[in-house]
């Protein structure tokens, strides 16, 4: 079936018009104003402060018949939200047109204080592959308008989406989202590190709120709210449905199940309490369905979304169930460690082998491809990645290579670099077959403005020893993927700086092709070396900041 919308909607609303809610207010009946505040409808929670929609709107997890709509009432977002400790009703509307003249669904839900006054409205009864607009109303106030799209059903000829990851507030502005919001996409996949838990620093581009790392629910709420206040991030959320998963910094650097990065400094009891607070705040700020609502220490995040007969998107959770990182390469090569836990691995294999779609795409957090960090005879690996979980990796890559799996491609975040590679069950064996492809996307801002020349000089000698590497670069941006039954073409979009709040340009730096029925990836286009040098010179002409990033060598093992 044709997956294009039947009634095209104006994209200008979502890229430049997030303030359009005020102009639309005339279409919604006014409520009574009492003593300078809006009076809520009869039987509701009372008056509301002004500015309750300061964190914008979002949608997510599109199905053929509906999506989940998100907002959070937060008039004072960096002070716990600033809402009175009472439930408040919130109305929502979904329409086929920008003026809401053709409303197709509306309803009412309740924003509860125990959920941070967040709203997760699960809308059903919509048309497959169709665009809609939506908005919320609470206490007489209208939210910004969002745009969303349902998943297609049946025979699908094309799916277009972007994926992104790693947006450290202190390392740079979210300038890439300004450009991403202007793309024509079916959805955005976010692959982890939505927030960073690092302490505030005044020598970086922007400063984290608070006085230290978040530990409590209120502190995690404040950190999420600060990130959500970014106008470019709000615009990207309001433009498309998002499909999200986490990595480590939403909780604690390099955490694994109930084990923190620094167990000598965080007791098991203290880290469990921290994990529970982080999970709760994460759910409150993401467009997730009620099935992902935290229950004690657990949050159901791995899930599968289908886009007709074309794409299965397998969303992984490689933190909540993983074994602790190994301490040696020998352990990584021999120990029965798991990145996913047994239940999630069975779920993944069942989904990969059901042959229900043409493409199997994995929304994944850390690199699958073997990634040596040292040239010469000595090999150095980051054992927090799949390089530390080699027994399970080989087992799954052998599944990739079976006749039961159609066209597997792993989409990865975490690395703050673009890294494109063929996947082999045994990366050290040149005769090992190519069974799939991995496209690791760069960061939105983490790592700040990079030095691509020094990066290339470091990794080109290693690349000569790593024939499965096809492309690598360390500049900031996102990836746009065009999928048809015949091929998947992924375009790397890079911005020239993240150290200025506006004015950054975007360019397509490379394109990567995976053909159906032919495992592996080829580089179809790569910008000339002179373009990288010119972009670096433009960045060097601007201000220079320190980078608030974790030490990536912490888990390197020889």
């Amino acid at each position: 079936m044709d997956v294009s919308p039947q009634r095209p909607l104006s994209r200008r609303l979502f890229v430049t018009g997030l303030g359009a809610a005020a102009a639309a207010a005339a279409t919604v009946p006014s409520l009574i104003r009492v003593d300078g505040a809006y009076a809520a409808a009869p039987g509701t929670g009372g008056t509301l402060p002004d500015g309750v929609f300061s964190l914008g709107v979002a949608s997510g997890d599109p199905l053929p018949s509906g999506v989940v709509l998100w907002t959070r009432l937060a008039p004072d977002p960096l002070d716990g939200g600033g809402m009175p400790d009472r439930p408040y009703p919130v109305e929502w509307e979904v329409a086929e047109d920008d003026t809401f003249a053709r409303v197709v669904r509306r309803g009412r839900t309740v924003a509860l204080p125990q959920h941070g006054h967040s709203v997760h409205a699960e809308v059903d009864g919509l048309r497959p592959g169709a665009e809609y607009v939506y908005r919320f109303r609470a206490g007489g106030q209208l939210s910004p308008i969002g745009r969303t799209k349902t998943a297609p059903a049946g025979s699908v000829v094309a799916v277009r989406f972007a994926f992104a990851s790693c947006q450290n507030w202190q390392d740079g502005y979210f300038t890439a989202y300004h450009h991403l919001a202007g793309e024509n996409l079916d959805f955005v996949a976010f692959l982890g590190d939505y927030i960073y838990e690092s302490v505030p620093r005044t020598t970086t581009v922007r400063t984290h709120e608070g006085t230290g790392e978040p530990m409590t629910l209120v502190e995690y709420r404040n950190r999420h709210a600060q990130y959500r206040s970014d106008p470019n991030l709000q615009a990207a959320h309001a433009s498309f449905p998002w499909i999200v998963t986490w990595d480590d910094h939403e909780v604690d650097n390099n955490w694994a199940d109930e084990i923190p990065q620094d167990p000598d400094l965080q007791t098991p009891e203290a880290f469990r309490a921290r994990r529970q607070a982080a999970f709760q705040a994460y759910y409150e700020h993401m467009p997730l369905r009620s099935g992902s609502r935290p229950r004690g220490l657990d949050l159901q995040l791995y899930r599968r979304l289908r886009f007709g007969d074309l794409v299965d998107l397998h969303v992984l959770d490689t933190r909540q169930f993983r074994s602790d990182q190994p301490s040696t390469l020998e352990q990584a090569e021999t120990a029965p460690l798991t990145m996913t836990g047994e239940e999630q691995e069975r779920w993944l294999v069942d989904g990969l082998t059901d042959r229900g779609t043409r493409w199997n795409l994995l929304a994944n957090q850390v690199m699958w491809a073997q990634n040596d960090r040292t040239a010469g005879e000595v090999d150095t690996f980051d054992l927090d990645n799949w390089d530390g979980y080699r027994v399970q990796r080989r087992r799954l890559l052998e599944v990739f290579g079976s006749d039961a799996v159609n066209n597997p491609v792993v989409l990865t975040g975490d690395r703050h670099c673009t890294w494109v590679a063929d996947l082999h069950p045994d990366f050290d064996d040149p005769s090992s077959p190519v069974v799939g492809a991995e496209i690791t996307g760069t960061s939105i801002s983490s790592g700040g403005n990079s030095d691509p020349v020094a990066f290339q000089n470091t990794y080109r000698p290693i690349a000569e020893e790593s024939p499965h590497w096809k492309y690598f670069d360390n500049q900031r941006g996102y990836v746009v993927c065009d999928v048809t039954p015949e091929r998947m073409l992924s375009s790397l979009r890079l911005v020239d700086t993240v150290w200025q709040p506006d004015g950054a340009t975007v360019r397509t730096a490379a394109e990567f092709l995976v053909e159906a029925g032919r495992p592996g990836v080829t580089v179809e286009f790569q910008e000339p070396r002179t373009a990288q040098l010119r972009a670096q010179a433009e960045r060097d002409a601007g201000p220079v900041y320190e980078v608030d990033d974790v030490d990536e060598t912490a888990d390197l093992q020889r």
Side-chain angles (χ1 to χ4, degrees):
M1 65 178 292
D2 183 4
V3 299
S4 60
Q6 296 182 15
R7 297 182 177 89
L9 302 173
S10 170
R11 297 191 51 74
R12 183 178 56 187
L13 266 175
F14 315 102
V15 178
T16 61
L18 291 179
T27 66
V28 178
S30 299
L31 298 183
I32 301 173
R33 195 171 177 84
V34 178
D35 296 329
Y38 289 104
T44 61
T47 59
L48 280 174
D50 287 336
V52 294
F53 294 111
S54 64
L55 302 183
V57 300
S59 66
D61 278 12
L63 302 176
S65 62
V67 296
V68 57
L69 306 180
W70 174 93
T71 192
R72 181 186 170 208
L73 307 184
D76 192 0
L78 300 190
D79 188 18
M83 285 288 293
D85 190 22
R86 298 192 298 272
Y88 283 85
V90 179
E91 298 174 353
W92 53 266
E93 292 180 304
V94 177
E96 293 180 318
D97 67 304
D98 298 346
T99 64
F100 286 80
R102 298 193 299 274
V103 174
V104 295
R105 288 290 183 274
R106 57 165 49 97
R108 172 182 286 197
T109 186
V110 178
L112 299 172
Q114 58 265 39
H115 296 153
H117 290 99
S118 62
V119 172
H120 300 75
E122 297 183 32
V123 182
D124 204 357
L126 304 179
R127 293 180 291 112
E131 292 186 8
Y132 295 93
V133 294
Y134 63 93
R135 64 186 177 190
F136 297 91
R137 181 177 65 183
Q141 301 177 56
L142 277 177
S143 75
I145 296 171
R147 168 188 172 273
T148 193
K149 188 174 184 180
T150 54
S155 178
V156 177
V157 297
V159 169
R160 192 168 199 259
F161 67 95
F163 69 90
S165 65
C166 303
Q167 50 190 38
N168 192 325
W169 177 274
Q170 298 194 137
D171 280 4
Y173 296 98
F174 300 162
T175 50
Y177 283 134
H178 172 76
H179 300 284
L180 185 147
E183 302 274 3
N184 181 22
L185 305 173
D186 296 314
F187 65 90
V188 172
F190 190 84
L191 305 180
D193 293 345
Y194 191 94
I195 65 167
Y196 278 69
E197 84 293 7
S198 47
V199 300
R201 297 179 62 192
T202 58
T203 54
T204 51
V205 178
R206 302 190 283 187
T207 300
H208 274 148
E209 55 71 45
T211 59
E213 290 191 13
M215 297 288 177
T216 68
L217 177 56
V218 169
E219 290 169 343
Y220 275 106
R221 282 174 175 168
N222 290 345
R223 186 60 57 89
H224 273 281
Q226 181 181 46
Y227 278 60
R228 278 284 190 170
S229 71
D230 185 274
N232 290 324
L233 178 57
Q234 287 195 16
H237 270 297
S239 298
F240 321 103
W242 281 40
I243 300 169
V244 301
T245 187
W246 56 28
D247 192 22
D248 53 342
H249 291 292
E250 288 88 351
V251 182
D252 183 33
N253 182 45
N254 285 357
W255 68 281
D257 196 0
E258 296 185 22
I259 303 170
Q261 176 190 19
D262 47 9
D264 293 339
L265 300 178
Q266 299 185 68
T267 67
E269 295 76 17
F271 184 70
R272 282 194 290 269
R274 184 183 190 183
R275 167 176 154 157
Q276 189 167 351
F279 282 22
Q280 178 68 28
Y282 181 82
Y283 173 77
E284 291 173 355
H285 290 85
M286 296 298 124
L288 292 166
R289 296 179 179 273
S290 59
S292 293
R293 183 180 300 142
R295 289 164 174 81
L297 276 177
D298 300 321
L299 186 153
Q300 180 62 45
L301 197 57
Y302 68 84
R303 60 206 188 280
R304 185 175 298 111
L305 291 100
R306 176 161 290 186
F307 296 83
D309 63 355
L310 188 61
V311 170
D312 266 343
L313 184 68
H314 312 271
V315 183
L316 302 187
D317 176 355
T318 60
R319 287 290 166 189
Q320 190 175 178
F321 310 104
R322 70 155 69 189
S323 307
D324 195 12
Q325 294 91 347
S327 57
T328 66
L329 183 58
E330 181 182 3
Q331 290 178 345
E333 292 175 335
T334 60
L337 305 176
T338 178
M339 183 75 80
T340 62
E342 292 182 4
E343 182 177 336
Q344 184 179 183
E345 181 176 345
R346 285 194 298 270
W347 165 87
L348 176 60
V349 171
D350 288 346
L352 288 170
T353 56
D354 76 355
R355 302 186 69 85
T357 56
R358 181 71 163 165
W359 293 87
N360 283 282
L361 308 183
L362 278 66
N364 166 70
Q365 292 76 58
V366 294
M367 281 189 67
W368 283 58
Q370 184 164 291
N371 199 268
D372 185 11
R373 308 293 179 92
T374 306
E377 295 183 2
V378 175
D379 293 334
T380 307
F381 300 101
D382 183 349
L383 301 186
D384 183 65
N385 293 339
W386 281 88
D387 272 329
Y389 299 76
R390 297 182 175 213
V391 174
Q392 186 189 23
R393 179 175 67 182
R394 178 163 188 155
R395 183 167 64 242
L396 287 172
L397 288 177
E398 287 173 349
V399 174
F400 278 25
S402 71
D403 293 337
V405 179
N406 291 334
N407 302 309
V409 180
V410 179
L411 310 174
T412 299
D414 178 67
R415 187 65 198 275
H416 311 166
C417 307
T418 305
W419 223 288
V420 179
D422 288 344
L423 296 177
H424 304 258
D426 186 350
F427 291 98
D428 294 321
D429 180 2
S431 66
S432 178
V434 177
V435 298
E438 180 177 35
I439 302 173
T440 296
T442 185
S443 64
I444 291 294
S445 66
S446 301
N449 284 351
S450 63
D451 184 345
V453 176
F455 177 84
Q456 292 289 334
N457 289 340
T458 296
Y459 280 99
R460 284 190 182 279
I462 309 174
E464 296 178 3
E465 308 165 4
S466 306
H468 57 287
W469 295 359
K470 303 302 179 182
Y471 179 93
F472 46 91
D473 181 88
N474 69 335
Q475 300 169 83
R476 308 291 155 245
Y478 57 92
V479 179
V480 175
C481 301
D482 289 281
V483 187
T484 69
E486 294 77 29
R487 57 101 177 111
M488 175 175 171
L489 183 67
S490 300
S491 302
L492 173 62
R493 305 271 206 260
L494 297 180
V495 294
D496 53 5
T497 181
V498 295
W499 283 353
Q500 298 175 10
D502 50 39
T505 59
V506 69
R507 68 191 193 278
T508 299
E511 293 179 342
F512 317 113
L513 177 66
V514 181
E515 297 180 84
R518 298 183 63 183
V521 58
T522 59
V523 179
E524 289 296 289
F525 161 76
Q526 182 174 349
E527 66 180 357
R529 183 80 163 177
T530 54
Q532 294 187 13
L533 294 172
R534 183 171 60 251
Q536 182 184 349
E538 292 171 354
R539 286 192 298 272
D540 290 346
V544 176
Y545 299 92
E546 289 188 22
V547 172
D548 171 42
D549 209 353
V550 296
D551 181 5
E552 289 196 342
T553 66
D555 289 295
L556 298 184
Q557 297 291 336
R558 299 184 188 277

